[in-house]
Amino acid sequence: MSTPYLTIDRVGKRYPQGGGVDEIDLSIPRGAMLVLLGPSGSGKTTLLRTIAGLVPADTGRILLGDRDITRVPVARRRVGMVFQTWALFPHMTAFDNVAFGLRMQKVPKAELTTRVEEALALVHLEDFAARLPRQLSGGQQQRVALARAIVTRPDLLLFDEPLSSLDHRIRLELRSQLRQIQHQLGLTGVYVTHDHSEALALGDDIAVMDQGRIVERGAPHAIFTRPTTRFTAEFLSTGTVLDVVSVHPRDGQAEVVTAAGLRFVLPRTGTDLEEITALSIPSRAIRVEPFDEAAPAGTAGLIEGEVSAVEYEQASLLCSIRLVDHPVILKSIQPLEREIGLGDRVRVWCNEDQVLPLR
C-alpha cells in the first residue's frame, strides 16, 4: 500500500448550533485526489476547512508528510485553496492576482514573473494577464483562482466546490483541465462536491459523507457500480432501492424477500445476511421487453409493468416502470434510439447477478 502523505487521524469538529464532523480517519498518498462527496450539511466542507486551518479541530491530528499541521497557522501550512467564489482582488489584473501570494513570500521579481507566467499558461490565460476580473468570464476568473493557488507550489491543494457556480459546458471543460493539471504537476488534493459526475471524473479515491461521518469509501468505479450502503445507493441514484423483510439462506446462496413482494436469489458473498436491510436494483440490471398478450405473466421471470416516466440523459433514456402487481417503480436504462413512451405496457426482467445487498 502507498505511504500516506495526508493523514487525518480521528479529527472531530462540532459547532454549538449543531453540525460538523465526528472522528474522521482518512489518508491519501502523494499525488492523489481525494473527493469528499455528499449532500449539503454532510460535513465535507467542515472537514476541508479543518484541513486548511480555517477552523480549528476539536480532536485528532492532521499530518502532511512528516509534519503535524494540526495547530499550525494557515499561512504556514503550505496548503492552497480554491473556493466556490473566486475571491479575486477586483482592482488587480489577472497577473497581479496570481502574483499576490508570491509577493507575500518575498519571491524575487524575476522568479515571480516566470512562475506567474507559467501558472497562467497552465490554465490557458497567458493572453489575459493584463485584464481585470470584471473583464473576464466566470470560467476565466476561476482559472485565475486556480493559477493563484498552484503558483505558490503548495504541499496540498484544497477545492471547495469550485465549479458549482459555472454553467454546464464550462464545468466540463474546467474539470477536464483541472484533472490534467493535477496529473501534470503531481498535485495532492482534496476536492469537495455534491456532484456525482464531478466526483467520478476527478477522484482517485471517493469518501461518501453523511451527518459528519464517512459512510463509504473506495475507488470511483467501485463506489458507483457496487455501493455497499443504503445511503450511498440512494444518494447516487443509480437504480431502485427496496426494503428487505426477510433473508433465507440456501446452499451458497440467499433468497431475499423485499417489502414489495419481489424475491431475489443472491450469492452469499461479501455481506453478512444479518446486515442486509435493503437491495439496490441497478438501472443497468433491468431489461424491458415489449408487452406480449400471448405470453402469460411470469414467463421467464418477466413481470408486467407500465412506463411512468422517461428522462433523456446524454447517452441513454432513463425509464421508470411501475409494476402492475407490486407497489414499486423500477428504473431502467434504455438506448436513446429506442421508441418508448409514457403509458406503454411492458414486461421487465431483472439480472439477479447485478442486484446488490446493502447495509
Side-chain angles (χ1 to χ4, degrees):
M1 184 176 179
S2 301
T3 303
Y5 179 63
L6 170 67
T7 301
I8 301 165
D9 178 23
R10 299 179 69 83
V11 166
K13 175 63 184 180
R14 278 292 166 185
Y15 301 107
Q17 67 274 27
V21 295
D22 295 316
E23 296 194 333
I24 299 293
D25 281 311
L26 279 173
S27 64
I28 56 172
R30 185 189 290 271
M33 180 72 84
L34 169 68
V35 174
L36 302 178
L37 175 65
S40 298
S42 61
K44 56 190 188 298
T45 295
T46 292
L47 180 57
L48 193 78
R49 294 174 70 85
T50 303
I51 298 170
L54 297 174
V55 296
D58 296 333
T59 60
R61 300 183 305 157
I62 302 169
L63 307 177
L64 191 54
D66 57 0
R67 295 189 298 137
D68 185 337
I69 63 171
T70 313
R71 306 301 172 196
V72 174
V74 176
R76 292 172 45 207
R77 290 199 177 202
R78 293 191 53 78
V79 172
M81 191 158 182
V82 183
F83 295 92
Q84 182 176 349
T85 54
W86 311 305
L88 301 179
F89 296 110
H91 61 287
M92 290 185 183
T93 63
F95 183 99
D96 289 332
N97 266 284
V98 176
F100 182 80
L102 297 180
R103 290 198 171 107
M104 293 299 99
Q105 296 175 0
K106 302 188 184 305
V107 172
K109 184 176 181 181
E111 181 185 348
L112 179 148
T113 299
T114 298
R115 286 169 62 175
V116 171
E117 288 175 347
E118 288 175 348
L120 287 171
L122 268 175
V123 297
H124 305 307
L125 285 180
E126 57 268 44
D127 296 332
F128 298 82
R131 294 195 184 182
L132 295 170
R134 67 174 180 271
Q135 297 171 314
L136 300 172
S137 69
Q140 289 169 336
Q141 290 185 59
Q142 191 59 290
R143 283 187 172 94
V144 173
L146 175 59
R148 181 179 59 186
I150 64 178
V151 75
T152 58
R153 300 171 183 171
D155 294 334
L156 180 68
L157 202 51
L158 307 177
F159 301 87
D160 188 9
E161 304 202 58
L163 309 182
S164 61
S165 60
L166 302 173
D167 66 51
H168 181 69
R169 183 183 65 82
I170 298 299
R171 269 206 315 275
L172 294 180
E173 181 182 326
L174 276 185
R175 81 183 186 196
S176 174
Q177 188 177 17
L178 174 58
R179 189 60 161 155
Q180 291 173 10
I181 291 172
Q182 188 239 335
H183 281 167
Q184 183 177 341
L185 300 182
L187 297 172
T188 307
V190 180
Y191 193 104
V192 160
T193 184
H194 62 272
D195 186 280
H196 313 157
S197 58
E198 205 166 274
L200 186 61
L202 291 171
D204 297 300
D205 195 356
I206 295 177
V208 181
M209 295 191 66
D210 179 43
Q211 298 182 27
R213 301 174 300 113
I214 294 173
V215 296
E216 193 163 348
R217 183 185 178 190
H221 184 266
I223 289 289
F224 278 78
T225 61
R226 300 197 68 82
T228 62
T229 66
R230 179 175 191 142
F231 176 83
T232 302
E234 291 183 330
F235 180 66
L236 297 179
S237 302
T238 55
T240 307
V241 175
L242 301 177
D243 290 321
V244 165
V245 293
S246 63
V247 181
H248 307 285
R250 293 184 178 180
D251 293 335
Q253 296 177 315
E255 182 186 49
V256 182
V257 183
T258 70
L262 297 175
R263 296 172 180 266
F264 300 90
V265 177
L266 309 180
R268 292 183 59 181
T269 57
T271 302
D272 292 338
L273 297 183
E274 294 77 13
E275 293 184 344
I276 299 175
T277 61
L279 295 180
S280 174
I281 319 297
S283 303
R284 66 184 184 278
I286 300 297
R287 191 179 77 203
V288 178
E289 303 281 356
F291 186 82
D292 183 359
E293 294 280 4
T299 299
L302 294 176
I303 305 172
E304 185 179 348
E306 180 181 295
V307 178
S308 60
V310 178
E311 301 173 41
Y312 285 84
E313 300 188 332
Q314 287 188 334
S316 61
L317 297 174
L318 180 60
C319 299
S320 299
I321 314 296
R322 179 181 289 107
L323 301 187
V324 171
D325 296 323
H326 303 274
V328 67
I329 295 177
L330 298 179
K331 302 281 189 178
S332 176
I333 294 176
Q334 298 296 309
L336 269 178
E337 60 272 14
R338 178 160 187 184
E339 293 186 7
I340 191 168
L342 293 178
D344 286 359
R345 293 176 70 193
V346 294
R347 285 202 171 113
V348 299
W349 176 84
C350 178
N351 183 352
E352 290 183 319
D353 291 340
Q354 295 180 329
V355 174
L356 305 173
L358 300 175
R359 293 180 280 111

